[in-house]
Each structure stands twice: as C-alpha cells, then as structure tokens.
C-alpha cells in the first residue's frame, strides 16, 4: 500500500504471468516484447508495441501517484504513519484498541528484521545505510533510522507522500538521517552497492516487472547487505498446476482494478528470481495467519463516524478502496491471497 510503479490489470501485457510453465528463472517474468522477431513485419509491430508500452508506463506512474496522493491522508488520519499490515498472534481478536493495531504494525517491522537474521547488536551495527522502496509517508524509514542510527532514503511515486514523509521527519528531528524523494522503484537513482539494508514493505505487489524489480533491489544492495521483501502474493501453484482457478483469478482481478496492481505472483516465484542472482540465505514464509485480523480491523475503523467522514472527504479512489476490502478478506479466507516474506543476503 505504498506508492511504486503499478499497473492496472487491464495492462497485463506489461506484467508477468505466473500461470505458465517456464524453463528457467531467467525467463520467469520476461516481457512479451522480448520475443519480437527481427523480420520486417514483426519489427514494425514491435516498434508500435514499444511506443505503446512507453505511453502506458507513463500512465501507470501517473495513476499510482494520484491514487496515493488521494488516499494517504485518509490512512494517516485513521491508522498513523505506517502504511502496512500489522503482525498479530494467530486468531487474535479484531477488537484490539487502535493503539494495539499500531503496535502490531511496529511488530511487523521487528518480526521482518528477526526473520531476516538482523537479531543481535553485531548485525545491527552493520546497517549504516537503508533504502525504503515504496516508502509511503516514511513510517518504516523513520523507525529504522532511529533503531539503527542509520541513514535512510525512501522513494515513492507520490509527491504528496514524499512531502509528508519529509515533513514528519523534520517534526521528529530526523531530517539529518532520513530523506524522501519521488523515484521509480524499477529505475532507482542510486549507485550500485549503496545500501546495507534494502527494505520493501508491501510495495512488490505494485511492480509490473518482478524481474526488473528484483534486479534493482540486488543492484543497490551492498556486498553482504540484506534484502527484505514483504508483499501480497497469490498461493503457490501445485505440482502440474499451470494457473490459478478461474474463480481465484476473478477475485484478484477485481482487487487489481482498485489498487492499481498488475498480475500477482507467488513466494515461490520470488525465490526463483532471487536464486537466479546467486544470493545467499534465501528464506520465505507465509504470514497470512499473522495478518488475518488486519483487514477486518480496517473495515471496522472505516465504519466509525470519523472514518466515514474522512472517507467521504478523501474522494472516489478511497471509497472504491474501502468497497474492495471485503474481497481482500475473502481472498485470505479462501487461501488465494498469501502474505509473504522473502529475505536474502548479497554475497560479499
């Protein structure tokens, strides 16, 4: 739920497909444009396709930026500055206080670090520079900068998010440690090997090209640096299964239309991409049970008087998002949507 390069489901020609059988990870999310032959006819068609893709990509940047420009204030008013799921004990009640849910969002950060192996003082001292890819209004960045004493840079496609994140950093006397800018997660404005921790909290689901997304995360990671990806996924496909069931895909397609998402992938797909880069200590887990109370809590909060007033003031994108929340709950309950964490370390 943080602004990155996103694609509506109607533009799946820019997206990967996980429902086909691929021979190797390097081909896993290859663009259809890469298979254009060099004959005169197909070259001409390819030129048209490239031009259309460029136009569509710009439209995607504009669309996702507008979505988060409009909705981020509502989220902050109701849930604070962490624009991501909370981490709960399984079967937790949705009747937790608002402070309980915000504590669960902090716990999500801590559990992610723990899973990635950042668990002791020696490991923490290694983290001097952090990039927050899809930073929202900077909640994770400010927390990580304070925790590690690190320099943290957050990127987002939303100018509203970047400005608000910088304002909050100034208000918390963190401007010397934390900064935010408008940038594309698929073309990050950083030199190779810059960051000791590459952090992506619920931004991967917005990426239309997962292969390029992972390549950028690996590129900017320093030797020995850790990469943490926490993201919405669809379930892993069973052996011999080539696609999700039509009813499963229908649920995801409806969610895509509201939240500016391209085609979904699985945690298995992420693992294969990371393996293709010869990364170390690749791990993944399904945290779906640990985030199960989140969406019911969001709905309950939205139905309060303050929530309804804020929702109406925010605009149609926010209203459509609220109406889509039950589909997220349905997807989790039916096992279609999975909340995954994937971590690894770049070799020295």
């Amino acid at each position: 739920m943080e602004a990155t390069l996103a694609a509506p489901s109607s533009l799946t020609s820019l997206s990967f497909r996980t429902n086909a059988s691929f021979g190797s990870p390097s081909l896993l999310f290859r663009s259809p444009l890469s298979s254009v032959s060099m004959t005169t006819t197909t070259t001409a068609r390819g030129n048209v396709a490239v031009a259309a893709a460029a136009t569509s990509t710009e439209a995607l940047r504009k669309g996702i930026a507008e979505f988060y420009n409009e909705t981020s204030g509502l989220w902050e008013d109701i849930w604070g500055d962490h624009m991501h799921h909370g981490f709960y004990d399984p079967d937790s009640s949705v009747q937790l206080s608002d402070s309980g849910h915000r504590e669960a969002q902090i716990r999500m950060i801590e559990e992610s670090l723990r899973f990635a192996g950042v668990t002791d003082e020696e490991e923490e001292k290694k983290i001097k520079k952090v990039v927050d890819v899809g930073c929202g209004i900077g909640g994770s960045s400010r927390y990580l900068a304070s925790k590690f004493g690190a320099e943290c840079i957050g990127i987002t496609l939303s100018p509203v998010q970047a400005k608000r994140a910088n304002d909050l950093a100034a208000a918390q006397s963190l401007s010397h440690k934390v900064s935010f800018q408008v940038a594309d997660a698929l073309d990050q404005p950083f030199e190779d090997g810059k960051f000791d921790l590459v952090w992506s909290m619920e931004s991967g689901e917005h990426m239309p090209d997962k292969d390029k997304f992972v390549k950028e995360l690996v590129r900017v990671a320093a030797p020995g640096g850790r990469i943490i990806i926490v993201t919405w996924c669809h379930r892993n496909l069973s052996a011999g299964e080539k696609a999700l069931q039509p009813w499963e895909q229908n649920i995801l397609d409806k969610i895509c239309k509201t939240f500016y998402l391209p085609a979904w992938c699985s945690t298995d797909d992420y693992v294969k991409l990371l393996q293709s880069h010869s990364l170390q200590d690749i791990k993944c887990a399904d945290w779906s049970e640990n985030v199960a109370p989140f969406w019911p809590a969001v709905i309950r909060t939205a139905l309060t008087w303050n929530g309804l007033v804020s929702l109406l003031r925010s605009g149609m994108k926010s209203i459509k998002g609220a109406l889509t929340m039950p589909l997220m709950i349905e997807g989790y309950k039916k096992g279609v949507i999975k909340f995954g964490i994937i971590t690894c370390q770049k070799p020295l």
Side-chain angles (χ1 to χ4, degrees):
M1 293 184 293
E2 303 183 353
T4 51
L5 183 58
S9 60
S10 61
L11 294 172
T12 52
S13 62
L14 296 178
S15 310
F16 57 83
R17 285 293 185 185
T18 61
N19 56 4
S21 177
F22 295 91
S24 67
S26 64
L27 297 177
L28 193 58
F29 302 111
R30 188 179 64 180
S31 166
L33 299 180
S34 63
S35 62
V36 175
S37 70
M38 297 307 295
T39 64
T40 303
T41 301
T42 55
T43 298
R45 291 174 181 172
N47 290 339
V48 172
V50 169
T55 301
S56 297
T57 299
E58 183 58 36
L60 297 180
R61 292 192 183 99
K62 181 179 179 181
I64 198 65
E66 289 176 350
F67 179 81
Y68 283 103
N69 286 345
E70 181 176 306
T71 61
S72 295
L74 169 66
W75 183 268
E76 183 184 2
D77 287 345
I78 296 177
W79 278 70
D81 60 348
H82 291 281
M83 299 183 66
H84 57 78
H85 285 69
F87 188 99
Y88 307 83
D89 293 325
D91 302 319
S92 293
S93 169
V94 297
Q95 300 303 318
L96 291 170
S97 65
D98 288 343
S99 62
H101 289 300
R102 296 187 185 192
E103 289 170 4
Q105 290 175 308
I106 297 297
R107 186 180 174 190
M108 175 62 74
I109 297 174
E110 289 292 345
E111 292 290 342
S112 298
L113 292 169
R114 178 196 59 77
F115 185 84
V118 185
T119 55
D120 56 39
E121 186 174 347
E122 182 178 349
E123 286 295 322
E124 291 181 0
K125 285 181 178 179
K126 295 178 182 178
I127 298 177
K128 302 297 184 183
K129 293 186 177 181
V130 180
V131 62
D132 186 352
V133 180
C135 62
I137 57 173
S140 292
S141 299
R142 289 185 295 276
Y143 184 86
L144 295 170
S146 298
K147 179 179 178 68
F148 299 126
E151 174 190 341
C152 190
I153 303 175
I155 60 173
T156 171
L157 286 179
S158 166
V160 171
Q161 285 189 336
K163 182 180 185 304
R164 182 58 179 157
N166 281 315
D167 289 345
L168 288 170
Q172 296 172 23
S173 301
L174 286 171
S175 294
H176 65 297
K177 285 288 187 181
V178 185
S179 63
F180 303 91
Q181 59 186 276
V182 175
D184 186 347
L186 301 185
D187 187 18
Q188 297 178 36
F190 310 119
E191 63 266 29
D192 296 356
K194 181 178 178 66
F195 299 103
D196 307 302
L197 176 61
V198 178
W199 179 268
S200 172
M201 176 61 69
E202 295 188 42
S203 61
E205 57 267 23
H206 287 299
M207 305 299 169
D209 187 336
K210 263 48 173 190
D211 186 18
K212 190 173 182 180
F213 172 53
V214 168
K215 285 179 180 177
E216 276 294 273
L217 299 184
V218 174
R219 182 184 68 79
V220 301
R226 295 185 184 273
I227 299 171
I228 299 178
I229 303 169
V230 183
T231 185
W232 311 355
C233 295
H234 68 59
R235 65 173 176 82
N236 291 327
L237 299 181
S238 302
E241 193 176 21
K242 294 184 178 181
L244 295 172
Q245 298 297 313
W247 66 267
E248 294 175 313
Q249 190 62 54
N250 184 53
I251 291 175
L252 299 186
D253 287 346
K254 290 178 180 178
I255 294 171
C256 287
K257 291 178 182 178
T258 297
F259 293 131
Y260 289 84
L261 305 177
W264 296 47
C265 74
S266 67
T267 53
D268 279 354
D269 294 323
Y270 271 111
V271 168
K272 291 175 182 177
L273 283 174
L274 294 171
Q275 288 173 338
S276 73
H277 291 278
S278 301
L279 298 167
Q280 299 175 342
D281 194 24
I282 300 172
K283 299 185 294 184
C284 67
D286 178 2
W287 283 358
S288 300
E289 288 188 4
N290 299 103
V291 302
F294 177 78
W295 286 99
V298 173
I299 291 176
R300 181 171 59 85
T301 305
L303 293 178
T304 63
W305 175 252
N306 287 338
L308 289 171
V309 171
S310 297
L311 189 63
L312 291 173
R313 287 176 177 172
S314 184
M316 281 306 300
K317 289 183 174 63
S318 296
I319 293 171
K320 289 178 180 179
L323 294 174
T324 304
M325 290 177 191
L327 284 174
M328 291 295 298
I329 296 175
E330 180 183 358
Y332 275 124
K333 286 184 175 180
K334 292 183 176 180
V336 183
I337 298 176
K338 298 294 183 178
F339 190 87
I341 179 169
I342 311 98
T343 68
C344 62
Q345 189 169 20
K346 191 172 181 177
L348 291 170

